[in-house]
Amino acid sequence: MKIICVTRNYKQHALELNNKIPTELIFFLKPETAIPIKGQPFFIPDFSNEIHYELEVVIKINKTGKHIQERFAHKYFDELSLGIDFTARDLQSKLKKMSFPWEMSKSFDGSAPIGFFVKKQEFKDINNLNFELTVNNDIKQSGNTKNMIFSFNHIISYVSKYITLKKGDLIFTGTPKGVGKVRKNDFLIGKIEGKQIIQIKIK
Ligand code: MG
């Protein structure tokens, strides 16, 4: 199983980190060990002083596919959830400056907690889903999937040109604006259309 993450899929988030609006999709991978053991809190790693949350809609691939055409892409996922793409922003900035890959800042253990999955059909329109993150009851991020630069179907089609998708693979589809630093004892809750999907304590 692999975790594929799309970068800069919401215009306002690209701008908040002083990045250009992408014209082509860029993605990176996290290993299986990025998923924490069920029920465990997120432990701030000692190599970073600036761990950011990035709340993202996550889709789960339901069958093997390679070179999937965009018009058939919807058949490759039945369920979605919310995940947090935890990022060591300080380490990422350092690596970016040196023009090195910034995988290390994204792929560490526990960096990809994911909530429970909901069937697509339970939502009226998955391309118009409101989702939000609260930290200690303050709303920090709120997004809508209609504002994605690259749609779910485009992501599946595009990624499968490079990497064969397999059943159980997870795709993080990008974060809206409002990313920020987590601190010890923060409590994060992610909701889709008001429904609580993920909660995580920071330690
Ligand atoms: Mg992200």
Side-chain angles (χ1 to χ4, degrees):
M1 191 275 280
K2 53 193 175 290
I3 305 164
I4 296 148
C5 305
V6 174
T7 67
R8 299 169 203 168
N9 201 14
Y10 289 83
K11 190 177 158 195
Q12 297 305 326
H13 168 64
L15 294 175
E16 77 179 339
L17 294 182
N18 298 314
N19 289 313
K20 284 194 190 119
I21 312 294
T23 49
E24 254 186 88
L25 192 157
I26 310 285
F27 64 87
F28 62 92
L29 271 74
K30 293 192 189 231
E32 209 174 320
T33 44
I35 297 178
I37 296 163
K38 244 193 160 57
Q40 270 207 347
F42 175 79
F43 295 99
I44 295 176
D46 58 11
F47 54 76
S48 175
N49 292 312
E50 196 188 9
I51 297 288
H52 276 197
Y53 52 77
E54 295 186 0
L55 181 72
E56 311 196 5
V57 174
V58 177
I59 56 179
K60 191 194 271 179
I61 298 298
N62 61 8
K63 59 181 166 186
T64 299
K66 173 84 180 158
H67 292 297
I68 300 164
Q69 290 180 47
E70 206 167 317
R71 65 195 166 108
F72 298 128
H74 66 279
K75 297 183 177 175
Y76 286 80
F77 72 109
D78 301 315
E79 298 173 292
L80 47 83
S81 183
L82 287 173
I84 297 174
D85 168 19
F86 278 118
T87 305
R89 195 72 72 201
D90 45 358
L91 179 57
Q92 187 189 35
S93 303
K94 192 170 117 187
L95 292 164
K96 264 186 185 172
K97 257 184 227 146
M98 297 190 290
S99 301
F100 283 131
W102 36 257
E103 209 89 24
M104 286 162 71
S105 69
K106 289 277 197 180
S107 58
F108 55 90
D109 284 355
S111 63
I114 296 164
F116 68 88
F117 280 86
V118 182
K119 292 244 178 274
K120 277 194 306 198
Q121 302 91 297
E122 288 192 28
F123 300 107
K124 227 191 304 172
D125 179 5
I126 59 163
N127 296 306
N128 184 9
L129 281 183
N130 290 298
F131 61 105
E132 65 168 39
L133 177 78
T134 60
V135 179
N136 308 325
N137 291 323
D138 288 334
I139 297 176
K140 296 289 187 186
Q141 288 191 281
S142 57
N144 186 299
T145 52
K146 71 176 180 216
N147 296 320
M148 291 195 293
I149 298 169
F150 306 108
S151 67
F152 295 126
N153 292 345
H154 181 79
I155 293 168
I156 288 172
S157 171
Y158 187 91
V159 170
S160 74
K161 279 195 246 178
Y162 293 81
I163 300 179
T164 302
L165 293 173
K166 289 188 157 184
K167 187 177 178 175
D169 287 349
L170 301 169
I171 306 182
F172 278 63
T173 58
T175 196
K177 73 166 174 161
V179 300
K181 185 176 167 173
V182 291
R183 290 174 179 80
K184 262 187 190 179
N185 298 318
D186 279 349
F187 190 58
L188 281 53
I189 293 176
K191 293 179 184 174
I192 299 180
E193 294 292 336
K195 188 183 178 117
Q196 191 164 324
I197 301 287
I198 185 172
Q199 58 282 317
I200 189 152
K201 180 102 187 153
I202 308 297
K203 288 281 183 194

